[in-house]
Amino acid sequence: WRGDMDLYDTLTAQTVEGLDAALGLAARYAMPQTLCLSTRLTLDPEAARAWAAHDGRDHGAEQIPRFIEWMNRNVELRHAAAYPAKGAEKPYVMELGNHGHLHYDTAAAAAPENGWTSHARMGAGRYPWMGEDASSFGEQRDNIREAARWFERCFAFIPRSWAKPGRGNDSETARAAEAAGCEVLSGSDIRARDNVLFQPPPHHPAGTHAVELTSRYPPDPQHIHHLAMLVFWLHRSHRLARPMVFMCHQHMRQWEGPACTRFTEEMLRRALGGFHGDLYADTMFAIGSYWREVLSPETRRVWVEVRWPRLMVRNDSDRDLVNLPVDLELAGDGRSTVTVSVP
């Protein structure tokens, strides 16, 4: 479960109360989730007040200090939190992902440095957090780094995953995100059709060793047709052994009513109860880093050899692997799976 939060906004349930509902739902099912947070309008009250004044509506900027305090008191932040996800001392547990400081390609991108241009993209302005490199690569890298600084200042947490804001990506995005310290990416090198029609397997975007996990369409299910499409992707992911990033904003469109919340709950029930335990649920970073270490043809550090009559599994990674599934193809088209633990 990946969601995004672009700004603190009382008009669209991007608030303490809205997040409490999403985290409460995840906690009931012990479902891990990742919240990709854009920091400029969620953590900086001054910037949020200026943006609201330009927009002409009150979005609740004065509640931002309360939001930060609530997060620190109630949410245990982890990079990985495998199902069943439970906090040790706090009621909620989740991963915080980097969504950039300036949220490109939406109304939230409007800022004084770009002339309050809605849906501004890279190159639209010279921002105070930018370094000497004003190229698209340099701006995106510095935007992600600035968000990481806000994360560390407010939550003492450094994100290692990143998600694309809006449709704000280009050919430099993946390299920029990796250069800013993010190892697992969502939306870095993909087109809209990849979300809607295709299901790219996990891969390393060109020029990087980062891992791209592409989210599925539609996000934020609002009716039975949306649910049916997502169930299709769920079954296809299971059949092809590809990760599925279920994209649902933590606001769950609560300003419209309970429909998105109920359909999201149904997705959680199906994922956890409909596949005989075959689906492994974890945060976005955890799933991506597992693929990088165990399954990537370029970067994997776990090896399997057949030395008859033994099966040898060598673990050169930095992680202990418990109940690692090893698929076997046998003579006569037979198939089997065994699990091994390799520290």
Side-chain angles (χ1 to χ4, degrees):
W1 180 356
R2 169 203 144 192
D4 301 340
M5 186 171 176
D6 307 345
L7 70 163
Y8 193 92
D9 185 17
T10 53
L11 303 180
T12 57
Q14 297 183 82
T15 60
V16 166
E17 292 73 21
L19 187 56
D20 187 50
L23 289 171
L25 174 61
R28 287 201 301 277
Y29 289 88
M31 173 63 79
Q33 64 176 299
T34 298
L35 169 62
C36 295
L37 191 72
S38 179
T39 53
R40 172 173 162 257
L41 301 182
T42 57
L43 302 181
D44 185 349
E46 183 178 345
R49 279 192 292 267
W51 183 84
H54 171 76
D55 184 62
R57 294 180 293 176
D58 181 8
H59 293 265
E62 73 283 352
Q63 297 182 25
I64 287 177
R66 170 176 166 252
F67 166 65
I68 296 171
E69 190 275 334
W70 183 89
M71 284 278 293
N72 282 313
R73 187 177 69 251
N74 292 284
V75 184
E76 185 175 319
L77 299 177
R78 298 186 198 164
H79 294 106
Y83 174 84
K86 297 287 186 181
E89 298 179 353
K90 299 178 181 180
Y92 303 135
V93 58
M94 73 174 178
E95 176 196 15
L96 271 184
N98 197 316
H99 206 34
H101 186 62
L102 183 77
H103 192 279
Y104 294 120
D105 199 42
T106 66
E113 294 83 4
N114 58 39
W116 295 108
T117 301
S118 180
H119 291 72
R121 291 176 60 87
M122 295 72 76
R126 183 78 186 184
Y127 305 98
W129 37 262
M130 290 175 60
E132 294 183 1
D133 183 358
S135 68
S136 177
F137 170 84
E139 181 181 333
Q140 291 185 78
R141 177 200 60 204
D142 293 346
N143 187 35
I144 298 167
R145 284 177 174 173
E146 177 67 6
R149 284 189 283 270
W150 278 92
F151 278 117
E152 187 171 24
R153 186 181 311 139
C154 295
F155 305 124
F157 182 83
I158 301 295
R160 299 171 70 183
S161 61
W162 169 93
K164 175 183 64 174
R167 292 291 174 189
N169 66 327
D170 64 13
S171 61
E172 301 293 337
T173 300
R175 291 197 311 114
E178 184 180 52
C182 295
E183 303 168 44
V184 177
L185 318 176
S186 187
S188 62
D189 68 341
I190 58 92
R191 308 154 297 176
R193 70 185 69 175
D194 294 317
N195 294 117
V196 178
L197 298 176
F198 306 120
Q199 190 176 19
H203 60 276
H204 301 291
T208 78
H209 286 117
V211 177
E212 164 65 26
L213 299 177
T214 306
S215 64
R216 305 284 10 102
Y217 179 90
D220 308 337
Q222 301 158 53
H223 47 69
I224 195 65
H225 301 293
H226 284 169
L227 178 65
M229 294 169 71
L230 289 167
V231 169
F232 165 80
W233 289 122
L234 192 61
H235 282 271
R236 189 174 192 270
S237 298
H238 178 250
R239 187 171 70 252
L240 298 181
R242 292 184 181 179
M244 175 174 172
V245 179
F246 170 52
M247 175 64 196
C248 182
H249 293 81
Q250 275 79 6
H251 58 59
M252 298 187 296
R253 304 185 70 89
Q254 294 172 63
W255 70 91
E256 293 181 336
C260 182
T261 303
R262 298 285 74 81
F263 285 121
T264 298
E265 184 172 11
E266 178 61 18
M267 280 295 295
L268 302 188
R269 281 201 297 261
R270 293 197 181 212
L272 296 175
F275 294 88
H276 307 290
D278 279 358
L279 295 188
Y280 179 80
D282 211 327
T283 64
M284 197 169 79
F285 173 78
I287 296 293
S289 60
Y290 176 87
W291 183 83
R292 180 189 61 201
E293 297 292 313
V294 178
L295 298 173
S296 166
E298 297 178 32
T299 61
R300 67 184 180 190
R301 296 197 289 168
V302 176
W303 308 95
V304 179
E305 295 180 60
V306 177
R307 297 181 182 177
W308 186 258
R310 294 183 176 181
L311 181 72
M312 305 294 295
V313 180
R314 189 176 83 246
N315 179 14
D316 294 332
S317 73
D318 298 326
R319 58 197 299 164
D320 293 336
L321 297 171
V322 179
N323 292 328
L324 177 74
V326 180
D327 294 331
L328 306 176
E329 295 185 4
L330 309 175
D333 296 327
R335 292 176 180 270
S336 181
T337 299
V338 296
T339 58
V340 297
S341 294
V342 278

